[in-house]
Each structure stands twice: as structure tokens, then as C-alpha cells.
Amino acid sequence: MAGDYEDGKAIASTLYLGRADNFPVEDFEHATDAYLEGYIQALVDMHYFEFKVIIAVRDHKVMIGNLPKNQMLSNSIVSFVSDVPGVKSVEVKEHFSEEEISVRLKYTEQPRVEGIWFPQSTALFQPLIADPRQPMYYVAYRWGDKVVGRNAVAVALGDDFPIFRWRDVFRWHGDLQIDISAGVWAVFNFHHVDHSRGDMCELFNTDYLLGIPLTYAIDRWSFRLRLYHISGHLGDEYICNHKSVCDDRKNPSFEALDFITQFQVTPSWRLYAGPGVVLHSDKNFKLKPLYIEYGFEVRMGGKKLYYHKLYGTPFLAVFIDNWQQRHWDFDLNIMTGYELSKLQGVGRKLRLFAAYHHGFSWEGQFFNKRTQYGEAGFSWGF
């Protein structure tokens, strides 16, 4: 059995397969259990290398053990294995015998530290995709914003970079991870622009964020404690075209700490909420300290696109925040669209979206001004 198991891993590695269904089905219908077990174990180790998942196969029925404590990640692995040709069924097995575990550990490289450096394929705390200041990559056309301009283009560059993940942490045996988070948001206005001079658009404002998130995930719960800095900077073209603004120029710069809790109600629904506190703000743009953020995301009707070997899923995301600085008035951002991903539910995604914002501007020194606008564009990231 050990020889067949090694052969299965070797074939998978040699052919450099990126998806479970890249092999034709007929290659697996008559494969031995040992071969199929080795092949599936290699695929799982390739895509979910952060976790020491155990695979066993009997009569082409797969048993999976040592799944992550986070339910969303576990569901993604079960779905991934279910897609492998030749698999009749998948069962989650809570306990393997010591002998079964010891046999399988011989074929997987064990970590030399109690954790993983630079985990890549999964995020413990899923991003709040409707948050206007969620670090991600996107470009969108914006219309109706009376602060920025009735016609504008918004661009963002940002990501969370995972540094280290500790496994089996605290009494709940969850996973703990520390990241670096950074983002840049720029808005280009081409409504109030003198096109007769050949000007196409002006850089209105650029915001910068740098943060250190600490995330923890267990079962359906995930938590994020984040210390971050954010500052806004008016664009040179905007200042040149509005020289009077220099006299009223503020320096919107602050450091804050927030704590957000997510709960995966069902595989399709996720809720989140949490408080934040501004620890320090620049003296000429003082902010009152308290705020809260909350919302939900729902993904339903998703299906596998067999031609492209991707998952396509419609989504709806709602983000709401109330700041003491804004007298606790509501600030609402709604986003809906369609996302494509390689792994179901987790991993990096490409999203086509339409959004509606009602409340206040998020552009630097205009943070206290009311506005509303619509957006349409695409984004990519987790």
C-alpha cells in the first residue's frame, strides 16, 4: 500500500496538476484505493498545505480527518475532494487510529515549528468586501458623488500579507495568524475639469492605510483585532485647480484599533460586527474616538463552471458603520455582483460588482461631508 501511495503522489507532482478534475475520469474508475488515496492526499497537500489533513480511501469512498476547526475552510476541502473523479462519496471522520496517522505522516513533510510561515491559499478572517476601506485591488466608475465629482474613477491597490499562522491555539484549539495589511485608494475626477485645455481628469484624493491584523478562527467563528493607521492626501491637480482649498486644508491622519467578529451562520450567510476606537488623530483634524461596524454577506446559487474549472457565485454584501464623529448617523455601502474562484468559498477571487453608497464621504478631509453615489467595476483578491 505504501508503494502505491507514493506512486499516486509522484504522478500528481510530476504532471503539476492545479485542479482536482484535470485528469480524465476514466483514469480513476479502475484505480486502486491506495492509488486514489495517494493522489487525493497529494492534491489536498498542494492546495491546503497549511493544514495536516488526512485522507483514507475504501472502495472509492473517501474519509477525511484532521480538518481545520474553521467550518468554512473545512467545507471548502470537502467540496474540493468531492470533485475528484472516481470518488463515490466523502465522509468526515473525527478520529483515525494512531497506526493510520503514523502511516500517513511518513509521506508528508512535517513542520519544524508549531505553525506555518507565509500561508497563502486561505484567509482565517474573510475580508469585508463592502467596506470602503477594505484593502483589495479594484477599479470602478463612480457617478453622482457631489464631494468628489459627478463623474469619477476610483482605484484601489491593497492586500493582506500573512506572516505566520499558529495551529491548535488556546483552549478552543483554533488557528491564530498575524498579517501586514496595506492599501491605497485614489479617486480621479473628470467632471469639474476644463476639457478645453486638454485636461482629461484630476487626481482628487489619495488615502493610505497600514495595519497589523491579528486573526483567530474556530468552527463558525473568526475574529480580527487590528491596529492601523490611515491618512488622506489631496491630489496635486485638485489643489492647482482649487487654490482656495489650501487655506482650509486639513490633515486627516489617525491611528485606530478595531475588533470585528464574524459568524458563518450557514455556508451561504456570514454576519459580522464590532467596535473600534481612534487612539490618536492629528490636532487639526481631531476625531471623536468611538465607532462601530457591522454587516453581512450572502452567496447563493453558486455552481461549478466545468469548462473553465472555476466556481461562479452571485453575492450580496452590506456594510454599515456609525461614527461618534458623525453623530452616530448611518453610513451604508451595498455591493452585489458575481465572483469567480478556483476553490469553493476560499482563496483569491475575481469579482464583477455594482455598489451603492449612502452616508458620508471616505475621501480624506471630506470625511464629515454627506454624499451618495453609485459604482460599477471589478475587484480581485481574497
Side-chain angles (χ1 to χ4, degrees):
M1 174 176 176
D4 290 337
Y5 185 92
E6 282 279 77
D7 291 342
K9 286 193 68 177
I11 291 175
S13 301
T14 302
L15 294 180
Y16 190 66
L17 295 175
R19 285 286 295 144
D21 47 10
N22 276 6
F23 266 165
V25 174
E26 53 266 29
D27 285 353
F28 292 96
E29 288 182 345
H30 303 293
T32 64
D33 286 341
Y35 176 90
L36 192 59
E37 182 176 296
Y39 175 70
I40 296 173
Q41 184 74 65
L43 285 175
V44 171
D45 291 343
M46 182 188 302
H47 291 283
Y48 300 91
F49 64 91
E50 299 96 331
F51 313 101
K52 295 181 285 186
V53 177
I54 297 175
I55 300 294
V57 178
R58 301 291 183 273
D59 298 324
H60 282 219
K61 298 177 182 179
V62 180
M63 292 172 287
I64 307 180
N66 200 35
L67 283 171
K69 300 295 183 182
N70 181 268
Q71 189 178 74
M72 184 177 184
L73 298 177
S74 298
N75 290 342
S76 179
I77 295 173
V78 171
S79 173
F80 181 81
V81 173
S82 299
D83 283 342
V84 176
V87 172
K88 294 181 179 178
S89 64
V90 177
E91 173 189 349
V92 176
K93 188 172 181 181
E94 295 295 333
H95 301 288
F96 281 87
S97 68
E98 292 296 330
E99 181 180 357
E100 289 175 312
I101 294 175
S102 63
V103 168
R104 283 157 185 80
L105 292 183
K106 293 178 181 178
Y107 309 113
T108 58
E109 182 181 359
Q110 297 305 299
R112 292 165 174 79
V113 295
E114 292 300 319
I116 304 99
W117 283 102
F118 313 128
Q120 297 178 34
S121 62
T122 57
L124 296 185
F125 185 93
Q126 298 300 310
L128 316 179
I129 61 173
D131 180 355
R133 287 299 176 261
Q134 171 66 48
M136 67 173 68
Y137 301 93
Y138 76 77
V139 59
Y141 172 75
R142 180 185 296 183
W143 64 92
D145 189 342
K146 66 181 182 180
V147 172
V148 171
R150 300 295 180 178
N151 298 287
V153 171
V155 179
L157 303 171
D159 206 347
D160 287 332
F161 182 83
I163 300 175
F164 193 81
R165 181 179 297 176
W166 293 268
R167 302 294 314 282
D168 197 18
V169 174
F170 304 138
R171 56 178 294 188
W172 305 279
H173 305 288
D175 295 338
L176 179 69
Q177 182 170 299
I178 187 169
D179 301 343
I180 295 177
S181 181
V184 179
W185 293 265
V187 180
F188 297 86
N189 161 53
F190 56 90
H191 181 71
H192 301 296
V193 175
D194 187 359
H195 297 287
S196 63
R197 299 189 310 176
D199 297 339
M200 296 300 294
C201 64
E202 64 182 13
L203 175 59
F204 179 84
N205 181 69
T206 306
D207 285 347
Y208 299 86
L209 179 146
L210 178 64
I212 304 293
L214 190 65
T215 60
Y216 185 76
I218 175 67
D219 195 24
R220 298 185 184 187
W221 297 90
S222 58
F223 308 89
R224 184 191 72 190
L225 179 67
R226 179 181 63 162
L227 178 66
Y228 69 97
H229 161 86
I230 191 167
S231 59
H233 306 270
L234 289 175
D236 291 342
E237 291 122 325
Y238 178 80
I239 293 176
C240 290
N241 294 332
H242 302 78
K243 296 185 185 299
S244 61
V245 80
C246 293
D247 297 332
D248 299 323
R249 170 76 170 98
K250 306 295 183 182
N251 184 30
S253 175
F254 65 90
E255 290 74 43
L257 182 73
D258 61 16
F259 180 73
I260 307 296
T261 298
Q262 285 187 0
F263 180 64
Q264 193 76 35
V265 182
T266 71
S268 301
W269 281 84
R270 180 165 64 248
L271 306 176
Y272 60 85
V277 57
V278 176
L279 303 175
H280 171 265
S281 57
D282 193 89
K283 62 182 179 181
N284 73 353
F285 198 81
K286 295 297 292 185
L287 296 178
K288 295 180 179 179
L290 302 179
Y291 65 91
I292 56 173
E293 298 175 340
Y294 49 98
F296 68 87
E297 296 176 10
V298 57
R299 291 167 172 82
M300 302 182 70
K303 65 177 183 178
K304 188 175 181 181
L305 309 176
Y306 284 92
Y307 182 82
H308 297 284
K309 298 183 174 64
L310 295 171
Y311 290 95
T313 309
F315 70 89
L316 172 67
V318 174
F319 175 86
I320 305 170
D321 63 276
N322 305 89
W323 285 66
Q324 184 182 10
Q325 174 69 20
R326 297 163 168 170
H327 308 290
W328 299 109
D329 288 344
F330 286 93
D331 186 65
L332 170 69
N333 204 55
I334 303 173
M335 180 182 291
T336 185
Y338 192 76
E339 66 182 19
L340 297 170
S341 59
K342 182 178 180 181
L343 303 174
Q344 189 172 35
V346 301
R348 298 188 181 276
K349 303 173 179 67
L350 176 69
R351 298 183 182 94
L352 302 176
F353 70 86
Y356 172 71
H357 182 84
H358 182 87
F360 296 85
S361 177
W362 280 86
E363 307 304 331
Q365 72 176 61
F366 305 97
F367 184 77
N368 297 318
K369 292 187 177 295
R370 288 187 173 274
T371 188
Q372 59 182 351
Y373 54 82
E375 284 186 335
F378 66 95
S379 66
W380 59 100
F382 278 108

